Amino acid sequence: MSKFHLRSPDRLLACGALVIGLMHGAPGAAQQSYPTKTITVIVPAAPGGPTETVARVLLPAMGKALNGQLVVENLGGAGGTIGAGRAARAAGDGYTLYLYHIGHATFPALYRKLAFDPIADFEPVGRIVDAPMSVVGKRTLGPDNFNDLVSWVKASGKNASMANAGIGSASNLCGLLLSQMFQTEVTPIPYKGTGPAMNDLLGGQVDFMCDQTSNTAGHVRAGKIKIFAVTTRSRVPTLPNVPTLEELGLKNFELSAWHALWAAKGTPKPIVEQLSKALQVAINDATVVQRFNDLATAPIRNEDATPGALQAWLKAEIDRWGPIIRATGQFAD
Ligand code: MLT
């Protein structure tokens, strides 16, 4: 007899434990109805950028809460409209999600023709995090403070290059607002995301951009790029020496790239609710909180990580940005 052979009472106990395990849905034996396969999360921007960063921080914790796996699919281009369009056409079975940001609210004002309706063609799950934006420049750029940057841009005009992630991106929105303020046209350089845009800023091929702190703060701390200002109403706690645009005299220049999660249209309500609950668990996970804090982003409250709160927020943001964007005269076909 093997020394590991169970004696009879132990055998009975083990059998009992197995039955109880099955009844209570123990790992490996559970008959869970959702998710039963991998969930794809469309990130409508190139790899290595701030939207993907939010996804990479959040999704492992959401997967844990759902007892499932979520994988990122990067579908960058056209300011996020390519990925958003794909998500809008996906089957509403809970296996295609879409993670984007404030850009989702600016699409209707920026595009004359949009292949989807940002409200009607998605099932809202909830908001995730707010990412402050920052005006940053290549390390070798002449100006060292925001006022000097403004003078330099005015003097340089079209010779100044400003990166963005295409019409509909957060960097495009911020750049539009800044250009209005500079009262001069600079040369916009569009990328499929600010991941590749940041590579060019680090390499000195582009002069400056306005991008989320989740993509800039690390490079600023490492002294690889210059930072001139943040776009939030108050200073970003993890970048305490950086002035806000409001402090610099730009009244009401407040811009934060809120991120949110949607499911494909028609996803059953119980699944959307399950996703929203998993989102709430994830945004309170200690590792997620720490990582978002390191990225200089601001956490959101549980009550904002719900379908109803996201839908109301999205409608309000579409109404807020529509007239501001239309006043700039920029739109795409
Ligand atoms: C990205 O992840 O690249 C962002 O979407 C960039 C942006 O919107 O500016």
Side-chain angles (χ1 to χ4, degrees):
M1 184 195 287
S2 149
K3 69 179 178 171
F4 298 112
H5 191 87
L6 295 176
R7 287 172 293 127
S8 295
D10 295 339
R11 252 193 240 163
L12 278 179
L13 275 176
C15 287
L18 178 65
V19 171
I20 290 166
L22 286 171
M23 283 167 60
H24 287 261
Q31 295 294 307
Q32 83 177 26
S33 57
Y34 175 82
T36 55
K37 60 177 186 178
T38 301
I39 302 167
T40 299
V41 182
I42 294 177
V43 163
T51 315
E52 190 193 72
T53 299
V54 169
R56 300 254 174 242
V57 171
L58 179 82
L59 299 184
M62 262 190 87
K64 206 157 113 196
L66 286 167
N67 193 24
Q69 206 195 2
L70 298 96
V71 295
V72 168
E73 185 182 359
N74 293 89
L75 270 176
T81 55
I82 292 174
R86 172 82 75 84
R89 294 187 302 275
D93 56 6
Y95 293 98
T96 304
L97 308 182
Y98 157 74
L99 193 161
Y100 204 35
H101 54 42
I102 190 169
H104 195 72
T106 65
F107 291 152
L110 285 166
Y111 283 85
R112 257 195 271 252
K113 280 183 259 139
L114 207 52
F116 54 86
D117 180 326
I119 296 176
D121 291 344
F122 298 81
E123 303 291 347
V125 173
R127 268 166 68 201
I128 306 166
V129 74
D130 282 345
M133 300 200 68
S134 48
V135 184
V136 291
K138 64 182 180 187
R139 198 171 49 83
T140 53
L141 199 68
D144 281 323
N145 60 56
F146 187 74
N147 288 334
D148 288 351
L149 176 74
V150 175
S151 309
W152 175 82
V153 169
K154 286 187 170 176
S156 308
K158 284 272 187 191
N159 289 327
S161 54
M162 179 163 58
N164 68 46
I167 296 178
S169 63
S171 45
N172 171 70
L173 177 62
C174 187
L176 266 185
L177 302 177
L178 282 176
S179 297
Q180 258 194 333
M181 193 217 69
F182 293 143
Q183 291 176 331
T184 182
E185 258 189 85
V186 298
T187 298
I189 313 280
Y191 293 81
K192 283 190 173 175
T194 52
M198 178 56 79
N199 288 340
D200 276 5
L201 194 75
L202 289 165
Q205 288 93 337
V206 67
D207 292 324
F208 72 112
M209 70 172 164
C210 180
D211 192 17
Q212 298 160 55
T213 53
S214 42
N215 206 34
T216 62
H219 298 303
V220 169
R221 284 192 206 104
K224 292 183 178 164
I225 54 174
K226 289 185 176 182
I227 187 161
F228 299 101
V230 288
T231 66
T232 35
R233 177 129 309 171
S234 26
R235 289 192 179 202
V236 175
T238 44
L239 295 168
N241 301 324
V242 184
T244 66
L245 287 174
E246 176 111 13
E247 276 174 64
L248 292 162
L250 298 179
K251 292 289 163 237
N252 301 323
F253 196 122
E254 193 185 357
L255 182 57
S256 174
W258 55 266
H259 287 70
L261 190 65
W262 289 264
K265 183 74 190 165
T267 304
K269 206 163 184 275
I271 291 184
V272 173
E273 286 299 331
Q274 204 180 330
L275 288 166
S276 177
K277 293 219 164 58
L279 170 62
Q280 288 160 34
V281 171
I283 59 173
N284 288 291
D285 175 275
T287 311
V288 173
V289 170
Q290 183 60 53
R291 289 274 287 118
F292 278 147
N293 187 53
D294 293 345
L295 293 166
T297 63
I300 65 139
R301 303 166 314 161
N302 267 3
E303 51 267 47
D304 292 324
T306 63
L310 172 55
Q311 199 71 320
W313 176 262
L314 176 61
K315 285 182 182 158
E317 284 286 280
I318 290 174
D319 290 347
R320 175 185 174 202
W321 291 107
I324 297 172
I325 291 168
R326 280 189 283 272
T328 68
Q330 190 196 59
F331 42 79
D333 286 320

